[in-house]
Structures are given as structure tokens and as C-alpha cells.
Amino acid sequence: MTKGILLVGVGGQGTILASKVLSEGLMRAGYDVKMSEIHGMSQRGGSVTTHVKYGDRVYSPIISQGEADILASFEKVEAVRWLSYLKPGGTLIVNDYEIRPLSVLTGAAEYPGDVMGKLSSAVRNTLAIDACGIALGLGNAKAQNIVLLGALVKCMKLDGIDWHAVLRDVIPPKLRALNSKAFDMGAGQSVK
Amino acid sequence: MKEIMTGNEAIARGAWEGGCHVASAYPGTPSSEILENISRYDEIDSEWSTNEKVAVEVAGGASLGGARALSAMKHVGLNVAADPIFTMSYIGVNGGFVVITADDPGFFSSQNEQDNRWYAPHAKLPMLEPSDSQECLDFIKDAFELSERFDVPFLFRVTTRICHSKTVVETGTRAEAPIKPYQRDPQKCVMQPSAAKLRRYLMEDREKALRGFSNDCKYNRVEWGSGRGIGIIASGVSYQHAREAFEDIGGEVSFLKLGFTYPLPDELIKRFASEIEAIYVVEENEPYIENFVKQLGIKCKGRELLPAVGELDAGIVRKSLRGNEPAQGHSVDATPPPRPPVLCPGCSHRGICFVLSKYKDIAVSGDIGCYTLGVMPPLGVIDSVICMGAGVSAGIGFGKAFSRGATPPSGKKINKVFGMIGDSTFFHSGITGLIDAVVNKSPIALCIVDNRITAMTGHQENPGTGRTIKGEPTSQIDLASLCVACGVKPGNVRKVDPYDLKETEQAVREAYDSEEIFVIITTQPCALIKDVQRRRAGVHCAVDRDLCVKCRACMKVGFPALSFGGDGAEIERSMCNGCAICAQVCPKHAISQAGEFND
């Protein structure tokens, strides 16, 4: 059975790097894996998505509407934007973090209120994480993506993979210690 | 070895394994990483070419000289390269020659959604269409040998979801191909009319041979299901979507999976169709395969069920062909605000766009690059964007119309036309427009927004950066001297720092007032260049609460790092690079630059 994980966020948040670690680990575990990302123009602060699918045999590299097993949102309003991709009974992992788009900064649009509350009521399996707070606690807000990756991997029950080895191989040396800690902190979050 | 690779990485790997000697490209999403990856192989002489036409001519010449060669470009790049490609089809090859076109169904990073498969029959070039990274590697590895066997350049068609999807790949080793002997052969290589006409007849024979090959090659295969009720014909990523759309009843459905899509395999399609009750053709954008199947007299459905615009996915195919609506599991009572891409914090294009936005009686002819985003509010300065180079030449045309009295509905006359073009784009195809403006006396005011890199596609070197694709130092083309050499008066060329609004305004005013062709070159590098980020890491802007009167003047510049709260302007320190444009627009001098440069 093929599983689909949709990672969404804002250009610059590191969704692609998190997805790279994820797909490398899944491949090492023996799954067929496909990962599809969009970059180019949209990376300039726009809304970004990465699709990761794995199973015995994966055909299409992208997830269709209503078919994601997990929606991992690196920014809270992006979860709202992509919620229709989450399948009934699926899990939402959402970073309690707000990046206001230019349309909001200039007053042309409004950032909706109580996003986290609304998401938790809409999706029974919601895991809200203050990934920014955790990453800042480790000394670098940019490690948010790996905190979220840790939580995601825990939710997927993919504990049998040596994720620290994958992190070592994919992430530049000077950031390895930080990201290793970030990953563990994230993985700890999802255990309720 | 098993690896997970994007299609672009796999193409690079396959080209290396296939013995490629020479590779050229002009960057363009989704194709750019092909050459970036190829450039890491020392056995391949790779280059960023000035534009796609140059790239194809460089690789084409290398092929005639006896080397295995490839050129890579995005779909619209093939339009630029169409001239050499059509005639290279007549000449054929010596060393194998592959032209890669990366199409963009869904407009992820492009100005149009053209389906370049039509180029294959138009130019009579055989075409391969891989459907995942493994096929990218395998097909391109074979393509050089096939090109040599049939004496024709091969078209290699991929799409965004092939280029930018990682799938599992088994890699191989490089098969060293010797450079082929070169024999001067004007009858084959000098395309004057009488020789070209002889080649044209030979092409007809070649087409027949290729059609035969297409009917009996490993790239086109039937995957029989247990039933004969439904048969799907598909190529590229559409095959993968179709496979998934029928996965639940996959055992019953039969597939004709096409990887060699010009010439299409007529006999194979007929044989397949003769056993199937209902044929569906699943393809993105144009009904390229479907039209051919219908021409064979075979009833099939495709375009009438599938959307004509945008990319497909398994859900869309399922809904279109089987009527299954997507699962609706969750809804939330909130509207997400739009989040389109914007000019980055500290972007060097913001200053010139802001200055131009204050002129209400100008038109700005834009071009392809990050500065296209100057069209977004609150700046809103670009009037048109067509293609690479049109920032200059369409501007000439705008000027001709306005000088004949064309006016907007407001009745307010447009008094000046500005062009806006980036450094790489100017080298690509802006120079010819500038010469046209000079010679035909069109008084356009051209802004060359030189950020010292090809930014939008991910920071590739260009003729202005002084580095080759391999990072080696090389000659640097000086834009100001080039404009003067094109005939612009030296006194009408201004270099300005776009972070300095006063200096920029002065130059724009001069250009506006000038009755001659005028060029403004902005000189701040892209804020995302690593060295620039390092140099400015300690610099930022800060708001003095006591001075801010909440007038919102700073918000008119559109900074993602600047927001407005109860206490007035706020600057997100982690995003701000201290460009200080906001400080210059603040009437109360409440914002100032702080910190130090790492020089």
C-alpha cells in the first residue's frame, strides 16, 4: 500500500531538505520512494509543497487531493491552504508558526484568527508543534524543519530506520550536531 | 548502485554513462540542474551558453566534429533554438546529439504551457519521453548511440514532474565512446538549397526506418492486464498517473506505455487497439498521441474527458475517466491569504522598481527574471512580459504606438517607455533589441538590472560574472562598455546603486527627460549570493519608536521583512539585510541602518 506525505510551507523554510532526508531514509529501508518538489519562481517567499510517496511500488510522484496520509505544515496558514489534500482520517502535523505574506503586511488581505484552534477541531489527528520555539531553544531557528521531520517520522512509525545516519549523510557537517538534536526533540513531541 | 535521484540528476548521470563529451545549456526552470550536474563530470566539456540557440549550435558543431553532445533547455528555450534544430535535422550528426526540452505543464515557473512534443514531427526529429528517473538515465544513455545509428539529432522530452521528482535509480558505469573521425562533407553539412533538397529526400527514408524502429523497440511496450475492456495509451509522467488511477483494478486494465513518441508506433497501436474494447489516451496539455491514434482510424477518448490546461495527477485521471470524485475529509472555516512569490527581502531590484512606480505616465516593458515580480502590489510597475529580450524590443514598439497618440482610458498620456531587463537576459537576447533601438532612433529608457548572477533559475554564472560553469575565472563582459559599443552615447549610460534612492531617482529623471536612448545599469548584486549574505550578515535596519508616526510610507515599498503593528513599523531582524530603502522613504527618519559590514 502506498503512503503519501505532503510537506507544505513557505519558500526558504527548508521543506525540501527535510523531504530529502525523509526520502533517502525510506529508500534505505527498502521502500520504493518518489519525491516531487516545486522550486524556481515559487521559492521567492511563495507557498511551496513537496510530495513524498513510498510503498512496494509507487507510480505517480504526486499526491492527489484527499489522498495524503499525513499533511506536515511548516507554517500554520499553509495547513489551511492544503487541507483538502489530507485524506479522511489522516494526520495533520502543524508548526504553530506564523509567516505573514506580503498581502497581509500591506493590508490587502487578512491573516485569519485562531488558525490552530480551527485546525484542531477540523482534523481529529492534529499534532501541533512549536518547532520554532524548540529550534530557538537549540540556538538556531532554522532547525525548525528538522524538528518537524522528527515528529513526522515518529507519526509514521518509521522508527526502524537509522535516521541519525541519514542526517549525517545528507546535511552539511557543521550543522549535524544541531540537526541531530533537533530531530530528537521533534521525535519526542509526537509521543503523547 | 541504488540511489534516489531527480530526473535532472539522472539525465546528467546517463549522459556521462553514455559517453557524452560536450554539453551546453542556458538555464531555465525546470531544466537548469541538468547542466549543473553534468558540469561535475570532468570527462564532459560543459558550458553555460549565452542563449539556447548558441547552446544548440555549440553542441551541434561538436557533434559534426565527432563528439557526443547534448543541449538542455526549458520548453520556451527550444523556440529560441528552433532555427538550428530544424536544419540540424537535415544535416544529421557525426557524434550522437541529443536536445533536451523540459516542458512545464501547470505553469510552475513559466510564461506559457507549450507542448514541445509537436516540435518532433515539425522538425522530423525522433523523440524519447522517459517516465521516471531510471528511464531518464537509461534512455539518454541509449540516445547517443541511436542518434548515430539513424544519423539524426534526438529530441528528449521531459516535464517538471520528471525533472524535479526523485525516484530510485540503479546507476551503471561510463561507456567511453571514442571521438568519431571527422571527414569534411559539404553535401551533408553545408545546407545550401541543392544540398538541402537532397538531404530532404533522405529524411523521408530515415522517417520510415525510425517508424519501423518505433514499432519494435524496448521503449514502447504493451503491459497486458487480465481483461480487454479498458486499454490506456500514455507516455511520460502521465503513464504514472494513469497507472495509479487504475491501481485498484490494475490487474484488469492493459497499458500501451510509450517511451519513443516520434515517430509514433502505428502498427503497435493498431495491434493493441484491435484487442481492446475502450481505448483512452492519457496525456497532459495537447492531444498529441490522441490525434495520431484517431488518424489511424481508431476510436479513442482523451481530451474530451481530461482537462486541457494544467498538469494531471492520479486523482484527476480517476475523476475524468472513471467519474470518481476525490475524497473530501476535512474543511476549515478560514481563508488563507494569497502567498505568491515576491521580491526577496533586500532584493536589489526593489529600489529601481519603487522609483519607477512613482511615475504615473510611463509604461515599463518587462522581461523574464526575478524583476518580473515588480508587477506585484504594492510596486506594480511592469506593463508587459513576453519572452527573453522583449523588455527591450517590445518597449521600442510601445514607444512607436504611444508616439502616435495611443493613450490609456484615463486619458492621461504616456510620456515615456522604460524597458527593464536583467544582466543574463540582456546577454541572452537584449543586445539585439538595444542595437535596433539605437539604429532606428527609438528613445527608450532601458534599465539593465544587473545583479551579477542569473538569479531566478538558482544562481548560474553568466557572461557578466567572470566565472565559467566550473567556477573558473574567465573574461567578464562589461555592460556599460557593451551598451556604448552598441551605439548608446557614453553620456547616456548611468551606473547607479539601486539601494541609493536619490541616485537612482536622479538617473531615472534624466532618462525620463532625455530624447535619446538612455541606459541605467543598477549595480547591487543579488541579496542571496553567499558572499553578499556573509558581508551583510551583521547589518540591519531598526525603527526608532519615538520617531515613527505610523504614516505607513515605508509599506509602499513592499518589504517582506517590514510589518505594521500597534506601535507602527516593525522590522523582522532575521530577514532584513539592511538595504535601508525603507529608511530613505521614511519622512520622519525613524528608520536607520545599524550594525557593521563584514568587509
Side-chain angles (χ1 to χ4, degrees):
Chain A
M1 189 63 194
T2 303
K3 296 265 185 199
I5 302 163
L6 187 67
L7 298 97
V8 302
V10 178
Q13 279 197 295
T15 49
I16 291 180
L17 182 65
S19 315
K20 267 186 190 160
V21 176
L22 183 60
S23 30
E24 177 72 27
L26 289 164
M27 185 191 73
R28 289 187 192 183
Y31 290 107
D32 187 20
V33 190
K34 290 190 177 177
M35 165 194 155
S36 189
E37 38 145 312
I38 286 301
H39 59 254
M41 197 161 179
S42 51
Q43 83 184 112
R44 308 278 176 245
S47 170
V48 294
T49 59
T50 308
H51 305 239
V52 177
K53 292 170 86 170
Y54 66 100
D56 296 335
R57 170 81 199 254
V58 180
Y59 289 107
S60 169
I62 52 177
I63 299 165
S64 310
Q65 216 168 347
E67 293 183 14
D69 293 277
I70 298 181
L71 174 65
S73 188
F74 287 42
E75 198 274 351
K76 60 186 184 187
V77 90
E78 292 307 309
V80 175
R81 195 184 314 280
W82 297 99
L83 197 64
S84 66
Y85 277 74
L86 187 63
K87 69 162 60 159
T91 301
L92 170 68
I93 299 171
V94 55
N95 189 7
D96 187 0
Y97 185 63
E98 178 172 316
I99 302 176
R100 285 179 282 171
L102 201 57
S103 58
V104 171
L105 297 179
T106 58
E110 262 184 55
Y111 197 100
D114 189 27
V115 172
M116 296 304 279
K118 285 175 178 167
L119 286 169
S120 317
S121 356
V123 185
R124 187 200 305 228
N125 308 323
T126 295
L127 174 65
I129 298 177
D130 176 17
C132 184
I134 295 169
L136 277 173
L138 294 171
N140 191 336
K142 287 196 171 160
Q144 282 181 66
N145 58 342
I146 304 299
V147 173
L148 288 158
L149 176 68
L152 173 60
V153 162
K154 200 79 185 173
C155 276
M156 289 156 63
K157 301 188 174 61
L158 290 165
D159 307 349
I161 299 168
D162 185 353
W163 290 102
H164 288 284
V166 182
L167 284 168
R168 257 199 318 278
D169 296 342
V170 177
I171 288 177
K174 64 175 181 182
L175 297 171
R176 272 177 204 157
L178 168 73
N179 280 302
S180 218
K181 273 188 228 154
F183 182 88
D184 285 339
M185 295 287 282
Q189 290 296 306
S190 61
V191 183
K192 288 266 154 100
Chain B
M1 199 185 125
K2 227 177 175 190
E3 282 180 62
I4 183 158
M5 284 185 179
T6 62
N8 284 348
E9 289 165 340
I11 289 171
R13 174 76 194 194
W16 177 77
E17 290 184 12
C20 179
H21 303 112
V22 175
S24 58
Y26 183 83
T29 313
S31 72
S32 312
E33 301 84 4
I34 296 172
L35 252 277
E36 286 179 339
N37 281 287
I38 284 183
S39 72
R40 293 180 191 135
Y41 297 109
D42 288 335
E43 294 91 339
I44 304 177
D45 179 341
S46 48
E47 68 160 56
W48 287 128
S49 303
T50 324
N51 65 32
E52 294 87 353
K53 178 177 182 292
V54 172
V56 164
E57 289 156 355
V58 167
S63 160
L64 296 183
R68 288 190 166 180
L70 75 73
S71 273
M73 60 210 68
K74 70 180 291 167
H75 60 340
V76 286
L78 196 60
N79 301 335
V80 178
D83 199 358
I85 282 169
F86 275 75
T87 303
M88 277 301 293
S89 177
Y90 282 59
I91 293 174
V93 305
N94 183 16
F97 180 25
V98 184
V99 176
I100 301 162
T101 168
D103 297 6
D104 191 18
F107 302 86
F108 291 102
S109 248
S110 305
Q111 64 269 43
N112 79 27
E113 201 185 33
Q114 67 186 56
D115 188 334
N116 276 5
R117 292 178 300 174
W118 294 119
Y119 268 109
H122 197 182
K124 302 189 190 301
L125 295 175
M127 174 164 61
L128 286 163
E129 257 191 281
S131 70
D132 61 17
S133 298
Q134 184 70 61
E135 287 188 349
C136 283
L137 191 155
D138 294 342
F139 286 14
I140 201 138
K141 196 173 172 180
D142 294 350
F144 295 103
E145 189 271 325
L146 289 172
S147 164
E148 287 165 11
R149 193 202 307 179
F150 290 100
D151 190 10
V152 62
F154 261 64
L155 199 58
F156 196 87
R157 194 255 188 172
V158 283
T159 56
T160 299
R161 293 296 185 181
I162 297 295
C163 295
H164 287 171
S165 292
K166 280 179 181 268
T167 74
V168 181
V169 166
E170 193 76 50
T171 56
T173 52
R174 177 169 165 95
E176 215 42 80
I179 301 283
K180 291 203 148 192
Y182 174 70
Q183 179 90 50
R184 185 173 175 271
D185 187 355
Q187 282 296 96
K188 175 174 162 65
C189 298
V190 181
M191 285 301 93
Q192 42 88 9
S194 61
K197 191 171 181 186
L198 290 175
R199 297 295 302 174
R200 181 68 190 84
Y201 286 110
L202 292 176
M203 286 163 75
E204 289 302 295
D205 297 338
R206 185 178 75 196
E207 292 265 294
K208 279 195 199 101
L210 283 164
R211 176 92 59 200
F213 179 79
S214 179
N215 275 310
D216 186 22
C217 68
K218 63 181 176 183
Y219 312 102
N220 295 331
R221 62 165 190 263
V222 177
E223 297 168 352
W224 290 117
S226 59
R228 293 291 182 269
I230 296 174
I232 308 278
I233 304 177
S235 66
V237 79
S238 301
Y239 161 77
Q240 307 286 2
H241 299 324
R243 265 277 171 191
E244 186 175 309
F246 287 91
E247 211 172 2
D248 56 329
I249 52 161
E252 298 165 29
V253 180
S254 299
F255 288 83
L256 175 53
K257 198 257 180 219
L258 300 178
F260 193 97
T261 46
Y262 187 78
L264 281 159
D266 50 358
E267 294 303 326
L268 185 62
I269 293 170
K270 283 184 204 160
R271 278 204 305 276
F272 180 69
S274 68
E275 302 216 17
I276 299 285
E277 281 170 40
I279 298 275
Y280 296 97
V281 181
V282 177
E283 56 193 327
E284 287 173 324
N285 299 157
E286 301 292 323
Y288 167 80
I289 299 172
E290 181 185 346
N291 282 4
F292 182 80
V293 173
K294 285 183 169 158
Q295 277 167 25
L296 294 174
I298 297 167
K299 273 194 187 145
C300 66
K301 285 185 179 176
R303 175 59 61 246
E304 62 191 280
L305 301 174
L306 290 158
V309 183
E311 69 167 346
L312 297 179
D313 64 28
I316 295 170
V317 174
R318 205 178 289 121
K319 186 179 171 211
S320 305
L321 268 49
R322 303 175 68 187
N324 300 357
E325 290 292 330
Q328 293 287 344
H330 310 275
S331 65
V332 58
D333 177 28
T335 309
R339 197 191 297 274
V342 291
L343 292 175
C344 299
C347 175
S348 55
H349 302 320
R350 188 171 278 106
I352 184 88
C353 286
F354 176 68
V355 169
L356 289 172
S357 75
K358 292 200 285 189
Y359 287 76
K360 303 302 175 196
D361 62 341
I362 62 168
V364 180
S365 170
D367 217 303
I368 307 290
C370 293
Y371 43 93
T372 305
L373 297 172
V375 72
M376 306 300 262
L379 294 167
V381 287
I382 311 282
D383 284 67
S384 68
V385 170
I386 308 169
C387 64
M388 299 285 283
V392 188
S393 13
I396 296 170
F398 267 116
K400 287 179 191 288
F402 296 144
S403 70
R404 284 165 179 269
T407 47
S410 67
K412 202 170 174 190
K413 205 166 165 269
I414 292 194
N415 291 315
K416 188 78 186 177
V417 177
F418 281 76
M420 186 179 286
I421 188 167
D423 43 342
S424 193
T425 311
F426 182 72
F427 292 120
H428 177 286
S429 49
I431 301 169
T432 40
L434 182 63
I435 294 171
D436 186 275
V438 168
V439 171
N440 294 308
K441 297 185 269 189
S442 301
I444 186 173
L446 181 64
C447 304
I448 304 179
V449 288
D450 178 14
N451 61 359
R452 316 308 298 160
I453 203 78
T454 312
M456 180 67 101
T457 46
H459 285 191
Q460 291 81 16
E461 305 295 341
N462 71 48
T465 63
R467 299 257 167 206
T468 69
I469 191 169
K470 287 186 186 280
E472 294 154 358
T474 186
S475 304
Q476 200 168 2
I477 311 296
D478 180 61
L479 282 168
S481 320
L482 181 58
C483 292
V484 171
C486 289
V488 182
K489 289 183 184 165
N492 287 354
V493 179
R494 284 289 172 286
K495 278 174 128 172
V496 300
D497 174 358
Y499 284 171
D500 184 333
L501 290 185
K502 204 176 250 178
E503 189 179 302
T504 306
E505 261 161 7
Q506 197 181 337
V508 167
R509 171 55 62 184
E510 271 187 86
Y512 177 90
D513 290 337
S514 176
E515 286 175 9
E516 296 173 332
I517 184 154
F518 203 97
V519 177
I520 298 169
I521 302 169
T522 66
T523 58
Q524 276 290 346
C526 171
L528 300 185
I529 293 175
K530 288 238 155 49
D531 277 350
V532 175
Q533 285 182 319
R534 191 192 47 78
R535 183 171 172 268
R536 305 189 71 95
V539 191
H540 62 100
C541 286
V543 184
D544 185 333
R545 290 269 149 266
D546 296 335
L547 295 178
C548 176
V549 293
K550 306 179 191 175
C551 69
R552 301 182 79 101
C554 53
M555 299 307 291
K556 289 186 186 143
V557 196
F559 284 100
L562 229 168
S563 61
F564 224 74
D567 293 334
E570 291 166 13
I571 292 169
E572 171 58 41
R573 169 84 196 267
S574 67
M575 289 167 84
C576 174
N577 81 341
C579 75
I581 289 175
C582 58
Q584 297 166 67
V585 299
C586 176
K588 297 292 174 189
H589 307 291
I591 307 175
S592 54
Q593 197 185 53
E596 294 202 356
F597 289 91
N598 300 321
D599 283 318

